[in-house]
Amino acid sequence: MDFYELSTEVIDFASVSRRFVPAVCGATVTLDGYARKFTKEKDGTVRETEYLVYEAYEPMALKEMAKLIERAKTEFEISAVGIIHRLGRLEIGESSVIISVAAPHRKAAFAACEWLITELKRTVPIWKKEIYAGGESWVEGEAPARPNSLPE
Amino acid sequence: MDFYELSTEVIDFASVSRRFVPAVCGATVTLDGYARKFTKEKDGTVRETEYLVYEAYEPMALKEMAKLIERAKTEFEISAVGIIHRLGRLEIGESSVIISVAAPHRKAAFAACEWLITELKRTVPIWKKEIYAGGESWVEGEAPARPNSLPE
Amino acid sequence: MGCTVLFFGATADATEKRQIDLDLEAGSTVGQVLENVRHSHSGLNEHKLLVALNEEYVSLDTPVQNGDTLAVFTAVSGG
Amino acid sequence: MGCTVLFFGATADATEKRQIDLDLEAGSTVGQVLENVRHSHSGLNEHKLLVALNEEYVSLDTPVQNGDTLAVFTAVSGG
């Protein structure tokens, strides 16, 4: 009942979180990540984003999403995972990623959902370009994707 | 932008989690709790639920939900909370409670959402009756609602 | 003076009532009203009970005023 | 022998290419191909780079086979 998809269309939230409601489950935890308009910088100033563009290495991104789901299902007592990541241009407020985890009990669903988004941001080859007043830039993640992958 | 409601109608999932998408936020975490058909008991047997009935002390439940939201907004860096709890008869798979927390960053949203459901189950005066093959029973919570409230 | 006592879920089933009205001595506490209700409704004795006064959790030694509403219920199980 | 190198996001902007085809000496490693690409595209030098071989993260000493696809990109920023 797992699924993982890349989409250039606006994501229908409920179609992710309510696509599967397994009979052994009592809780689904969903992370909805979306384009934030105002971001507070560490120096207290506020950056205003106009829109975002996401690009993926699509076949590898799908493989990495599949691996994450497989690992999550080994490490947590969960029954089903759904992940959809948006690509292309996103207006403010539109979802960039939705991750839903259904589990018999809520604790495992919370833990697995938080683990999945953290790992997705570390390993799945997708890049975000932020377009703000007066400029644009590709955001570079902080960590190498894997200990044995290739920071220069 | 907070809201808290009791409803005897099937809850529209997206109407909770996407009701507010604040411009300073980038993540909403939603817990969807629903009626589980099969529950594994500690002895390994499986209990089959036919349906659930929820009853509330409605005015007090609303007050307690408001207090939880107020406390969550003090303790976590979050922007908006929505809670809807279902009452009456629920078929298997129907949501009993949906809690959404929108925050600038996901970590606070996860923490606040998990805290809210844990506290709701401890303090908000709502009771669940489980109807299974051959019987029914009101579920009694495990903890007194408050240290200073009144376990006999 | 008097107060109203509400029951919900298991306590409504045990008492077969949703609500009763009680006459009280002046100065009665929440704990005394609870004992009073237990004596007149023995079905409650198999339950661990919580009490709210006017829709708030309170301690057992809180005094009850004329016209107050108490709610007597089991540990909550929503969510 | 030869391989294809793909660029995405910041590396596509820095090289002004989405894809190049390289001739390689037999026995070249992923690390050697990366150095090769850096030399011919100096815009990459301001970035910390990751490499995937045939859609998998691999170590720099992995040998490249004829017809392989490498992807050169910056630390991912999805989510």
Side-chain angles (χ1 to χ4, degrees), chain A residues 26-100:
Chain A
T28 295
V29 171
T30 301
L31 169 79
D32 177 14
Y34 41 86
R36 183 176 47 234
K37 185 176 181 68
F38 298 113
T39 300
K40 211 178 205 173
E41 306 277 17
K42 279 166 190 165
D43 64 8
T45 61
V46 172
R47 188 173 79 247
E48 180 170 348
T49 301
E50 293 188 353
Y51 62 94
L52 301 177
V53 173
Y54 282 90
E55 178 178 328
Y57 182 12
E58 297 195 25
M60 182 174 168
L62 290 167
K63 281 186 187 178
E64 290 292 320
M65 287 158 81
K67 285 181 199 169
L68 286 185
I69 293 174
E70 194 180 350
R71 285 169 59 200
K73 294 186 78 170
T74 304
E75 294 191 23
F76 301 94
E77 290 187 31
I78 59 177
S79 300
V81 175
I83 304 177
I84 299 190
H85 202 296
R86 178 79 182 278
L87 298 178
R89 175 176 169 147
L90 278 77
E91 305 306 325
I92 296 301
E94 290 183 356
S95 297
S96 52
V97 63
I98 296 184
I99 302 180
S100 279

Side-chain angles (χ1 to χ4, degrees), chain D:
Chain D
M1 60 176 267
C3 74
T4 297
V5 180
L6 306 178
F7 302 106
F8 299 92
T11 60
D13 284 3
T15 60
E16 298 182 323
K17 298 191 179 82
R18 311 292 304 181
Q19 177 175 338
I20 57 174
D21 294 307
L22 288 184
D23 287 324
L24 299 179
E25 288 177 33
S28 294
T29 64
V30 166
Q32 287 165 337
V33 176
L34 181 60
E35 279 316 295
N36 192 334
V37 171
R38 273 193 188 283
H39 279 115
S40 53
H41 299 85
S42 60
L44 291 174
N45 288 322
E46 57 194 75
H47 298 284
K48 189 165 178 169
L49 298 176
L50 306 181
V51 183
L53 178 67
N54 299 326
E55 305 170 4
E56 301 280 347
Y57 291 108
V58 293
S59 64
L60 282 175
D61 57 5
T62 306
V64 178
Q65 310 293 330
N66 186 42
D68 277 354
T69 298
L70 274 78
V72 174
F73 48 80
T74 55
V76 304
S77 56

Side-chain angles (χ1 to χ4, degrees), chain A residues 1 20-26 79, chain B residues 34-39 47 92-93:
Chain A
M1 285 189 293
F20 296 115
V21 181
V24 298
C25 288
S79 300
Chain B
Y34 42 86
R36 183 177 47 234
K37 185 174 179 69
F38 297 112
T39 300
R47 188 173 80 247
I92 296 301

Side-chain angles (χ1 to χ4, degrees), chain A residues 68-140:
Chain A
L68 286 185
I69 293 174
E70 194 180 350
R71 285 169 59 200
K73 294 186 78 170
T74 304
E75 294 191 23
F76 301 94
E77 290 187 31
I78 59 177
S79 300
V81 175
I83 304 177
I84 299 190
H85 202 296
R86 178 79 182 278
L87 298 178
R89 175 176 169 147
L90 278 77
E91 305 306 325
I92 296 301
E94 290 183 356
S95 297
S96 52
V97 63
I98 296 184
I99 302 180
S100 279
V101 179
H105 302 287
R106 72 183 188 280
K107 198 177 157 82
F110 273 109
C113 188
E114 193 162 12
W115 181 86
L116 280 160
I117 180 63
T118 301
E119 289 298 297
L120 179 146
K121 291 170 84 87
R122 199 174 68 83
T123 65
V124 177
I126 299 177
W127 301 271
K128 173 167 71 174
K129 183 160 69 173
E130 193 178 322
I131 293 83
Y132 42 87
E136 61 176 54
S137 66
W138 286 103
V139 178
E140 300 194 20

